[in-house]
Amino acid sequence: MIVELGHFALCVALIAALVQSVVPLMAIWRGSASGLRVADSAAQVQFAGVAAAFAALTYAFVVSDFSVLTVALNSHSAKPMLYKVTGVWANHEGSMLLWVLMLALFGVMISVFGKVIPVELRSRVLAVQAMIGVGFYLFILLTSNPFERVAMPPLDGQGMNPLLQDPGVAFHPPLLYLGYVGFSTAFSFAVAALMAGRVDPAWARWMRPWVLLAWSGLTAGIALGSWWAYYELGWGGFWFWDPVENASFMPWLIGTALLHSAIVVEKRNAFLKWTILLAILTFSLSLIGTFLVRSGILTSVHAFATDPERGVFILLLLTIAIGGALMLFAWRANELDDGGVFALLSREIGLLTNNLLVVAATGVVFVGTMYPLALELVTGDKITVGAPYFNQTFLPIFGLAMLAAGIGPFLSWKRANKRDVLRRTGWSAGAAALFTVAVAAVIGVPGPAGVFGVFVAAFLAVATLQDLGRRIGIPAAPVGTVLRRLAGLPRSAWGLYFGHLGLAIAAAGVVAVSLWSAESIQTVKPGEPVSIGRYEFTLMDITNTQGPNYQTSIAAVRVSRGEDPVTVLFPERRWYPVEQKPTTEAGIETRWHGDLYAVLGDPDGTGGFVTRFYYNPGIPWMWAGALLMSLAALISLADRRLRVGVPADRRRANLQPAE
Amino acid sequence: MEFWLIVTGLAAVSGLWMAWPYLRSRSVEMTGSDGAISIYRDQIDELERDRRAGQISDSECEAARVEIERRALVAARRLDSGFVSSQRSLLSAAGLVIVAGAAAVALYSSTGTPQQQDMPLAARKTEELIRRADAGDINSRIQLLIQQTQEEPESFEAWWVLARSYAAIGDHASSADAYRHAAELAGDRPAVLSAYAEAMTLANGNKVPSAARVIFEQLAIENADPRARYYAALAKAQAQDFQGAIEDWALLARDSNPQAPWMPLVERDIINMARFLKVDVTAYLPNASAEQIAAASNTPETDENTPTLAALEASLEADPKDYKGWIALAEARSAAGDAEGATAALDEGRAHFAAAPFVLDQFAQTERALGLDLVESGLRGPSDEDIAAAAELSQTERDDMIAGMVAGLAARLEAEPNDPDGWVMLVRSYATLGEMDKAQDAYRQASATFKDDAQVLQAIRSQTSGLVTGN
């Protein structure tokens, strides 16, 4: 009965979404305040319904109810409990349910925490949000119903892709969806503004927290996915420019632009149309990502099912949502008046430059991702657009964007002091160049691209730190003043510094691992040492043992440097009998400067094993940098002025002495 | 029905929750807001803060302030409009509840399968086990009983039935464990205690362990429980007190109804013991039949068909793959009062038939029939070690072991010839070992066995084609 009640709850959620999308708009037209409020109550019912449905599906997975088709196809009674629970969203139907759960979660958060947003705007936003929801609920109920039953349940399920049987599956999809789906709020705000024909700085302020939350989740989700691929796939790489990766990267890039342009709207009442367009495009790219991953156009670990019917349905949703929003934009955008006058050299222009660069970078990734698909559709030719394309097109543009991110904070709003900006830029560039030369001299940097990379990362870090220093009065002000200013910095400023520093650190990691990683693939017998850079890897012995639902061979690989033992790595090769699939688990030791990484391959039949050994410098910096960026968004979100309850806090804030 | 009640209830609650705004009393909502204005106030605060921190000059601050104020004025112009009033509207509320509720129920009815129950694996496992147990599968029955003892660990009945079921499949160790739980729950019920002690004894290879012996002796004294008396005597015999054992058995036999189910066992043991002690069996078994007296007497049998000991030993030397020979030797030695010699004969036979369960079973039956298991011999216990040792055997030893297995198969087929696959395997095995005569012989025997069944004959013929002549 629980399963069927879950199914019913999902139906309730769809009906609530319909109510939420129709009643408030009618109420605006007829001027009924009660009707506007229905947007809130319907959002709450919608969330309760989809949460109950999700809980029921989770129950079915936990108790291995194989009369539910999704459970029978994707679970197995011998799986550890963690993977029974995470298995809920590690399949097509369940992950779509997670998608709408996130959507409803954002809706209910807007209805509960967004009381400060004027009721008309809020009900418009919730109505648009619910329209997206209606589309996806229909998609789920009509083409991918997670509650489909089988009359004669099998004795056991078919298991779960072993690659997904990893703690990473507990965090990567929910965080990624937090991002993907969170951008729907930006979309809803944008469409609501177009419908109302009015945008003001308050609009940007109300929208920005949701975008920050989504962006933070997406950043962490992408980083986790990359980390997962890094240790689970055992290729020693972390980013493969795979279309599925790009599908999550494009919303991130353009979401980054949105985050910045919304600041201009809030501070300067400028770039209104541009910001609305970015909001629409960001969520559109999320939808395109969902389409690419879910339609079965791409075959990958993410494409749980390939079913043309589903692809067509999502394509239809995509067309209605994106097409409708863009048409609305074309129709209504002219009625929005951009305010704010600014000079050519100003923070506004800096942010615009950055926006354009990031959007160009997104375009490059978009072309690289979609061109092979379009070509295959038109001519039937299969081509792969791989790393060389992206390295040659995306990286230079993104490098420029990073340079601009370093200079941007030097610019003041409206009109910047040209001499001051040039002086500070020169100073930062000089320091970064010095650092680059030092690195080239000590370690050696192959090629001009490498030099550029080192310089860009160093420049962004130096410029960010320099701006922070200057803001708190270094070197002129006395120590006490410096500390007081440091403590008094608004959280949005910390968001800026942590975010940019995080980017610099992550970039440094990427540059380091691209320039100086050392790897070696060979067949070795236990006891034969292999030299990787300054390290020596020796395969010691192999132990065969049993996991909860797999057999595994664990190798001990001793790493030493000269005479000194460094560590022992334990790469594994697992075999999952239920799914009849092997997986590799890389043995990784993380040091501050990089990772020691070993992968165990097949035995060669004469006592040797195929092994891959790597030294990957900078990898930990990448994760740390991404984490810092994700954290920075949350810090910024905690800024008093951005908190959704701003005006309520105002009176108290005024009583405090100014910081 | 219950399900639809819940569904209807949920639909109603959801509808009411959504319609709540229509049910509240009249209120006025402001649709415009001071949101934009509050932002300009914040910006002015920030300007002030920056000026005080010395980050901008007074003139810059003033210019910015003018700009912000100008925008605030523009924004303020929009504040005028923008009030909406709400009022209670039962009609709208009822409409929303009914339409939304009905739509949800209708949607579910068209996509759901309301009649289907949850089927968690745990529940289905029980279901499946019950089905199999009802069909007579004792292992499924035991699984169910195990579940029952897990659910009701305080139920004597559950443990008792489980213990008896284990005993029925010969798993005496598990049976003893279950009886222990039952005994703990039953207090001092003699029947439970003696069953427990018996299971311990059987699990211990029919040797009464000391813990069981204590129970048996106490029960024998207090309750005159026949089982306890029998095993207490057996314990005496195993502790080398043969006289005490035979006397206790004799008393038990005297006290028991001659038709009692344990009497054959008691009589057999008395007879064996009398022979072993070289005493007159009638002293202990007054009603002994002539046959029994003869079996218990020390006189070697003089049947002319029975080969002499020496002849048996010689023939076994030549062909150790004759399990009946080993049994005959053990019987002959035992009849001659040489219990240890008989045990040795069976042990030697076991060594040759380590991998042939059928023969090992025959040996064990012989051993028990001869009462050899009453005598501690220290050197007993076949197979596990033998089989483990087989892994490290030399080639000749391994061949020897395989030959033993084949001989065991031949022996089994002689006793149970109705096994076409067994015959085919036997013919192939002989052929593989190069013993073509025996292969031919086995084939002939199989053909004779199944001469009335053309289909089986054909199958045997085709599966052994090329190995033997005549097909």
Side-chain angles (χ1 to χ4, degrees), chain A residues 81-104:
Chain A
M81 184 51 72
L82 172 66
Y83 303 129
K84 283 185 183 164
V85 175
T86 57
V88 175
W89 56 79
N91 62 76
H92 171 75
E93 289 82 5
S95 73
M96 289 318 297
L97 197 58
L98 180 66
W99 208 98
V100 287
L101 177 69
M102 286 288 180
L103 191 69

Side-chain angles (χ1 to χ4, degrees), chain A residues 1-4 7 34 37 41 44 63 65 118 149-150 154 201-202 205 266 471 485 641 650 659, chain B residues 17-18 29 31 39-40 42-43 46 49 52-53 55 86 108 111 113 116-119 121 124:
Chain A
M1 196 160 77
I2 293 176
V3 172
E4 290 304 313
H7 192 166
S34 307
R37 291 276 181 196
S41 56
Q44 287 150 17
V63 302
D65 187 339
R149 306 294 292 268
V150 277
R205 174 173 289 193
E266 186 191 331
R471 182 137 176 200
R485 284 188 185 170
R641 293 166 301 170
R650 268 200 56 82
E659 303 112 73
Chain B
W17 188 285
M18 284 194 282
E29 307 270 357
T31 54
I39 287 173
Y40 297 131
D42 271 354
Q43 289 181 348
E46 196 184 352
R49 192 173 55 221
R52 240 174 306 177
Q55 286 174 342
S86 74
Y108 172 72
T111 57
T113 30
Q116 195 161 0
Q117 294 299 310
D118 287 346
M119 300 172 91
L121 190 64
R124 289 179 49 219

